[in-house]
């Protein structure tokens, strides 16, 4: 083949293309021009046909381009960094300087320092600091690039590297948002790479818990079980109480459907019925019961220790059910793990009355009693999973068994869980019994604000407005606690449910007085509920008294709308509070219109209320226009653009604020308050006095 190819070239112009490289001096050719320089009588191949003569105009050939190779990483200001590294010859000093550089928000400089120093010293700790910095900033892709680069530079990741990666993948921009699905895939890939035989770092239980936490925050039950299946049963890396807590929380989260970033679940694809919700949650509870059987088995053998977080995770899972059997199992759970006796008879007791409890029960998923062993346990998720237990006796007499179980000490989380269970079962006396039991010796539990909020929810269901006002005004200060905004909202909700009580407005006023003393910025939503409660009385004297009581709080809200708040809050929270304040002021204007239109006040006071109404109405209009200019997102919102047409505005000659005001009036005209306000406006225009 080499001879045939060689005959195609004349001897005079034959290049040494087929000769060994050692026979000629290596030269560099810029382009291949051999075919253009050949004589016209040459042959193209071994046949006798002469080659066609070259054309007069030759097409210029593009010179051969060198292969495109990936350029090396350029280090900016390398000379200065090299001088800086002369004083950082110790890896500890280097890591401290890298952390200081990251604190100054210079991650690029810190990474360049690690790149230069990685040639002469180990820099794993410094690379870990950079990865942790990017993860806390939620720059996951940048952190993964640093992770891959440190491996290429022979800086092998250690246990802390994987921990920072897995922990950073679980971070979210807001606590209410789920973790993205791509973060779950990355966490699963990292954990799987750690489990390979060639991995230098084997996964420990802290890595497993971090990977499970990513799946739990994303409500990805399949990914969670794929990681949990790799956990060894015994020895190093076996599950602990934190592992089971994360698993139970993930099961509970999956009962509410997938997140918006993942696949749509059944609960989010269409509006489910109450029966479908009950079945979905019952499946989650049954799965949690199977997990709890494993927890109790290891607890009896002394393998793991149960804490309050684990008991609370199981209790919250039981509370999402629609069955009273699961709600009652919360009391069995507390008795099993904390040795606190039940304060009410179980559901199976014939003397227990449960006809007043609203519930949705699926007959196919009821908890049937099944055959149990001598310890009271079965392999199925039955109600016997929460029966009293005893230490597991060893199979061989030589093995030492635990003499007693380490029961959990109840805390504030347990008290809130018991109160919510009693709230679901409509047993307020039992909740009070548990409250008094845990607050007395030997527990001496001091309730926190969340415990009082749970107690207020129970009082709201029972329409106990007097007890709610007493709790806010007396019991909370006696406990040395300051109520939160949610505390006042729940207390006002209790007053709204007790609207038939003739003294409910006095109790609501007591709650508002406490809020005025403890909160520097009053809550507009609570004030709106208070004013709406006064309007339901249809008593002009009471409505006027409430409006006068709200006058100092109105001045505080007006100052807040004009000058802002002293406490630093986010822009979104500030806009939300401003909108709520404007809505309250609109409700206050409507309350004054009710007084004027129904003639609920004396004629001598009508002029004063009419003047106050005009002042508030003008202020509300100015604040609405100010919010409109501040947000600047009206065109991008379908709700605000509904019915808005610029050409129509030009025809009628109104601004956007006037258009929105007209829409608001039309929506208010559908209610009796709107009709009364429209009639009163006509009367005031005819008779201003």
């Amino acid at each position: 083949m080499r001879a045939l190819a060689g005959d195609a070239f004349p001897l005079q112009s034959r290049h040494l293309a087929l000769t060994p490289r050692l026979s000629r001096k290596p030269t560099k050719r810029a382009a291949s021009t051999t075919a253009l320089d050949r004589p016209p009588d040459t042959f193209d191949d071994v046949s006798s046909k002469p080659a066609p003569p070259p054309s007069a105009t030759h097409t210029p050939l593009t010179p051969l381009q060198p292969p495109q190779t990936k350029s090396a990483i350029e280090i900016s200001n390398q000379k200065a960094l090299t001088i800086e590294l002369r004083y950082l010859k110790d890896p500890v000093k280097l890591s401290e300087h890298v952390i200081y550089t990251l604190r100054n928000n210079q991650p690029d400089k810190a990474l360049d320092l690690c790149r230069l120093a990685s040639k002469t010293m180990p820099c794993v700790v410094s690379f870990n600091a950079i990865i942790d910095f990017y993860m806390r900033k939620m720059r996951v892709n940048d952190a993964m690039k640093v992770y891959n680069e440190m491996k290429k530079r022979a800086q092998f990741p250690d246990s802390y590297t994987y921990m920072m990666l897995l922990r950073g993948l679980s971070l979210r921009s807001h606590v209410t948002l789920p973790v993205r699905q791509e973060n779950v895939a990355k966490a699963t890939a990292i954990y799987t790479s750690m489990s390979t035989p060639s991995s230098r770092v084997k996964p420990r239980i802290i890595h497993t818990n971090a990977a499970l936490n990513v799946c739990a925050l994303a409500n990805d039950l399949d990914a969670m079980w794929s990681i949990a299946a790799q956990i060894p049963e015994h020895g190093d890396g076996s599950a602990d109480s934190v592992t089971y807590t994360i698993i139970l929380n993930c099961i509970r989260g999956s009962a509410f459907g997938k997140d918006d970033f993942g696949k749509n679940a059944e609960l989010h694809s269409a509006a489910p019925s109450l029966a479908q919700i009950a079945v979905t949650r019952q499946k989650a509870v049954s799965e949690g019961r199977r997990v709890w059987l494993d927890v109790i088995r290891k607890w009896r053998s002394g393998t793991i220790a149960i804490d309050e977080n684990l008991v609370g995770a199981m209790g919250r899972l039981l509370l999402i059910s629609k069955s009273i059997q699961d709600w009652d199992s919360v009391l069995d759970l507390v008795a099993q793990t904390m040795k606190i006796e039940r304060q009410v008879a179980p559901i199976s007791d014939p003397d227990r009355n449960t006809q007043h409890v609203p519930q949705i029960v699926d007959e196919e998923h009821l908890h049937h009693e099944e055959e149990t062993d001598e310890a009271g346990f079965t392999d199925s998720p039955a109600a016997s999973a929460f029966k009293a237990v005893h230490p597991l006796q060893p199979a061989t007499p030589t093995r030492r068994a635990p003499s007693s179980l380490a029961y959990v000490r109840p805390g504030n989380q347990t008290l809130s869980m018991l109160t919510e269970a009693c709230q679901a079962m409509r047993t307020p006396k039992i909740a009070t019994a548990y409250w008094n039991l845990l607050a007395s010796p030997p527990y001496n539990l001091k309730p926190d604000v969340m415990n009082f909020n749970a107690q207020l929810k129970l009082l709201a269901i029972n329409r106990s407005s007097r007890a709610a006002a007493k709790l806010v005004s007396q019991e909370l200060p006696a406990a040395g606690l300051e109520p939160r905004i949610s505390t006042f909202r729940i207390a006002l909700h209790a007053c709204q449910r007790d609207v038939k009580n003739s003294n409910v407005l006095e109790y609501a006023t007591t709650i508002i007085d406490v809020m005025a003393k403890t909160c520097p910025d009053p809550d507009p939503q609570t004030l709106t509920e208070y004013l709406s409660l006064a309007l339901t009385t249809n008593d002009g004297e009471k409505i006027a008294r409430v409006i006068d009581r709200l006058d100092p709080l109105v001045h505080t809200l007006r100052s807040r709308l004009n000058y802002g708040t002293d406490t630093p809050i986010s822009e979104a929270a500030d806009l939300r509070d401003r909108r709520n304040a404007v809505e309250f002021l609109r409700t206050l204007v409507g309350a004054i219109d009710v007084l004027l239109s129904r003639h609920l006040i004396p004629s001598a006071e009508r002029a004063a209320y009419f003047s106050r109404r005009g002042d508030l109405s003008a202020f509300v209009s100015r604040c609405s226009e100010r919010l409109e200019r501040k947000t600047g997102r009206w065109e991008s919102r379908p709700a605000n653009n509904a019915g808005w047409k610029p050409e129509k505005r030009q025809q009628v000659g109104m601004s956007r604020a006037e258009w929105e005001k007209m829409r608001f009036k039309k929506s208010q005209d559908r209610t009796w308050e709107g009709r009364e306000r429209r009639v009163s406006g006509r009367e005031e225009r005819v008779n201003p006095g």
Side-chain angles (χ1 to χ4, degrees):
M1 181 65 70
R2 293 176 59 183
L4 294 177
D7 292 339
F9 298 95
L11 187 59
Q12 294 83 2
S13 61
R14 183 185 303 171
H15 293 283
L16 300 178
L18 302 179
T19 57
R21 292 287 182 179
L22 297 178
S23 62
R24 65 184 179 91
K25 184 178 180 180
T27 58
K28 182 185 294 186
R29 291 188 301 172
S32 178
T33 58
T34 305
L36 297 177
D37 298 333
R38 286 186 298 174
D41 57 346
T42 55
F43 294 90
D44 289 332
D45 52 10
V46 295
S47 63
S48 59
K49 297 181 181 180
S55 59
T57 59
H58 302 287
T59 304
L61 297 180
T62 305
L64 295 178
Q65 299 293 336
Q68 297 292 335
T69 59
K70 187 176 181 181
S71 60
I73 298 177
E74 297 181 359
I75 299 178
S76 60
N77 204 2
Q78 183 174 357
K79 184 177 180 180
L81 295 180
T82 305
I83 297 175
E84 197 170 342
L85 284 175
R86 294 177 184 175
Y87 306 95
L88 302 173
K89 297 182 179 180
D90 187 20
V92 178
K93 295 294 183 181
L94 175 64
S95 62
E96 293 176 355
H97 185 69
V98 167
I99 294 174
Y100 173 77
T101 306
L102 293 173
R103 197 181 301 124
N104 294 332
N105 199 17
Q106 296 177 347
D108 296 335
K109 178 183 176 182
L111 185 56
D112 290 340
L113 284 172
C114 293
R115 287 168 178 168
L116 293 175
S118 62
K119 303 176 182 179
T120 57
M121 69 175 72
C123 310
V124 179
V125 179
S126 301
F127 276 109
N128 290 347
I130 299 175
I131 292 175
D132 186 50
F133 174 83
Y134 281 134
M135 282 298 186
R136 292 183 184 277
K137 297 291 184 179
M138 301 189 67
R139 297 167 59 178
V140 178
N141 294 331
D142 293 336
M144 296 300 297
K145 290 179 181 178
V146 175
Y147 165 69
N148 294 326
E149 183 178 347
M150 68 179 294
K151 292 189 297 183
K152 295 178 181 178
R153 296 182 179 272
Q155 303 291 331
F156 300 104
D158 57 0
S159 178
Y160 293 97
T161 308
Y162 292 106
M163 187 62 197
M164 291 175 181
L165 287 172
L166 295 173
R167 183 185 61 188
L169 290 173
S170 63
L171 297 179
R172 300 165 290 175
S173 58
H174 195 269
V175 68
T176 59
L177 296 177
V179 172
R180 293 184 176 274
Q181 199 64 26
E182 50 264 28
N183 288 11
V184 178
K186 292 177 182 178
T188 307
I190 292 173
Y191 185 81
T192 305
S193 66
M194 295 178 63
S195 304
T196 57
S198 60
S199 177
R200 292 174 175 261
V201 180
K202 298 301 178 182
R204 301 172 60 185
I205 191 58
I206 56 174
H207 304 105
T208 305
N209 293 341
L212 290 174
N213 191 37
V214 177
C215 303
L217 295 178
N219 295 333
D220 196 336
L221 198 60
D222 297 335
M224 187 271 295
W225 284 124
S226 65
I227 295 176
Q230 306 178 32
I231 302 177
E233 187 69 20
H234 303 286
D236 190 18
S238 58
D240 57 359
S241 60
V242 179
T243 308
Y244 287 107
T245 302
I246 296 173
I247 291 175
L248 292 175
N249 288 334
C250 184
I251 294 174
R252 179 176 177 270
S254 64
F256 296 98
K258 282 274 189 180
D259 55 275
D260 295 334
F261 299 100
K263 300 178 180 178
N264 294 328
E266 181 183 359
L267 296 182
H268 290 268
S269 58
S273 62
L274 295 179
Q276 292 175 347
I277 295 176
V279 170
T280 303
R281 295 187 178 184
Q282 189 61 52
K283 290 180 180 179
V285 171
S286 301
E287 195 168 6
R289 286 175 178 268
R290 286 192 292 268
V291 174
W292 189 254
L293 288 174
D294 190 36
V295 172
I296 294 300
R297 178 179 59 83
K298 292 187 176 182
W299 181 48
R300 294 175 65 201
S301 61
T303 305
I304 64 172
I306 297 181
D307 56 1
E308 187 184 11
N309 293 330
L310 179 56
V311 178
M314 187 65 219
R316 289 191 299 270
L317 179 59
L318 292 172
L319 288 176
I320 70 171
S321 175
K322 298 296 183 180
S323 173
I324 191 174
Q325 285 85 357
D326 294 321
W327 303 337
D328 188 72
S329 297
V330 175
L331 309 183
D332 294 331
L333 173 66
V334 173
Q336 180 190 50
T337 57
M338 302 182 181
K339 210 174 183 179
I340 298 177
E341 297 296 333
R342 291 176 56 99
Q343 303 298 311
V344 66
I347 293 295
S348 57
D349 195 326
D351 297 335
R352 176 78 178 272
N353 184 18
T354 59
Q355 299 298 327
H356 64 288
V357 181
Q359 56 176 330
I360 301 176
V361 181
D362 188 12
E363 298 295 338
E364 298 180 358
H365 296 85
L366 290 177
H367 304 297
H368 299 284
E369 294 292 338
E370 302 180 8
E371 297 182 359
T372 59
D373 55 9
E374 62 275 8
F377 292 99
T378 62
D379 293 334
S380 59
S384 58
F386 301 107
K387 286 188 175 181
V389 297
H390 303 283
L392 184 65
Q393 299 299 326
T396 58
T398 58
R399 183 179 177 183
R400 184 178 179 181
S403 57
S404 62
L405 294 174
Y407 290 99
V408 182
R409 183 175 181 83
N412 299 110
Q413 184 179 357
T414 304
L415 182 57
S416 297
M417 182 178 63
L418 289 171
T419 306
E420 292 176 6
C422 296
Q423 172 187 342
M425 293 186 294
R426 302 295 194 273
T427 54
K429 295 182 179 180
I430 306 304
T432 305
Y434 275 110
W435 184 288
N436 298 331
L437 176 63
L438 295 180
S440 60
Y443 304 108
N444 296 324
L445 179 64
K446 295 182 179 181
D448 58 2
V449 179
M450 299 305 298
N451 298 140
F452 282 104
N453 286 354
Q455 189 74 11
L456 281 174
K457 292 179 182 179
L458 187 61
L459 296 176
I461 291 178
N462 297 325
R463 298 180 174 88
S464 301
S465 58
R466 179 181 178 182
K470 181 181 178 181
L471 187 146
V472 173
S473 60
Q474 299 180 11
E475 297 182 11
L476 268 174
L481 300 173
E482 291 186 0
R484 301 178 181 177
I485 297 299
S486 58
T487 307
F488 298 113
R489 292 180 180 179
I490 300 172
L492 257 297
H493 181 62
C495 296
Q496 285 185 336
R497 287 183 55 84
D498 196 19
V499 67
K500 294 184 178 180
N501 191 341
S502 58
N503 300 322
V504 65
L505 197 58
E506 299 178 2
Y507 303 144
T509 305
T510 303
I511 297 171
I512 295 298
D513 293 339
V514 176
M515 185 180 68
K517 294 178 181 178
T518 57
C519 296
D521 295 326
D523 180 39
Q525 184 175 345
T526 305
L527 299 179
T528 303
E529 294 178 358
Y530 176 53
L531 189 58
S532 301
L533 183 64
L535 291 174
T536 56
T537 60
N538 201 18
D539 189 343
E541 183 179 356
K542 292 183 178 180
I543 297 175
R545 192 185 308 121
V546 168
I547 292 176
D548 294 338
R549 173 63 188 86
L550 291 175
D551 192 58
L553 300 178
V554 169
H555 286 289
T556 305
L557 287 178
R558 294 182 65 165
S559 176
R560 181 178 181 180
L561 288 171
N562 287 329
Y563 307 107
T565 179
D566 296 334
T567 58
I569 57 177
S570 62
E571 183 180 358
D574 181 62
L575 289 176
R576 184 184 65 248
D577 293 344
R578 288 176 180 270
R579 292 192 185 100
N580 293 337
V582 170
E583 290 298 328
F584 163 69
L585 294 178
R586 286 174 178 168
T587 307
L588 183 58
V589 173
I592 297 176
D593 288 339
V594 171
L595 292 178
L596 296 174
S597 62
R598 299 183 183 180
H599 303 282
L600 299 177
I601 54 176
S603 301
E605 300 179 1
R606 289 177 62 87
Y609 277 98
F610 186 79
S611 176
R612 181 186 296 184
R613 181 201 178 280
D615 182 31
L616 287 175
S617 180
F619 181 76
V620 168
S621 299
R622 292 195 301 269
C623 291
S624 300
E625 294 178 0
R626 196 181 308 157
L627 285 176
E628 177 182 345
R629 291 193 301 267
K630 188 173 183 179
T631 53
R633 293 193 299 268
W634 292 91
E635 288 81 7
S636 60
R637 295 183 179 181
N640 293 329
N641 281 333
W644 172 256
K645 295 181 180 180
E647 60 274 7
K648 186 174 182 180
R649 173 183 64 102
Q650 296 174 359
Q651 294 174 6
V652 299
M654 63 174 59
S655 63
R656 180 182 293 276
E658 294 173 345
W659 176 269
E660 297 294 335
K661 188 176 181 180
M662 184 186 69
R663 286 184 54 208
F664 177 75
K665 287 184 177 180
K666 287 184 177 180
S667 62
Q668 292 295 322
D669 284 346
R670 298 189 183 97
T671 61
W672 63 270
E673 294 181 359
R675 291 193 295 270
E676 294 289 344
R677 189 182 303 112
R678 182 176 56 187
V679 174
S680 64
R682 292 175 180 174
E683 293 179 357
E684 294 297 338
R685 286 194 296 270
V686 176
N687 300 316

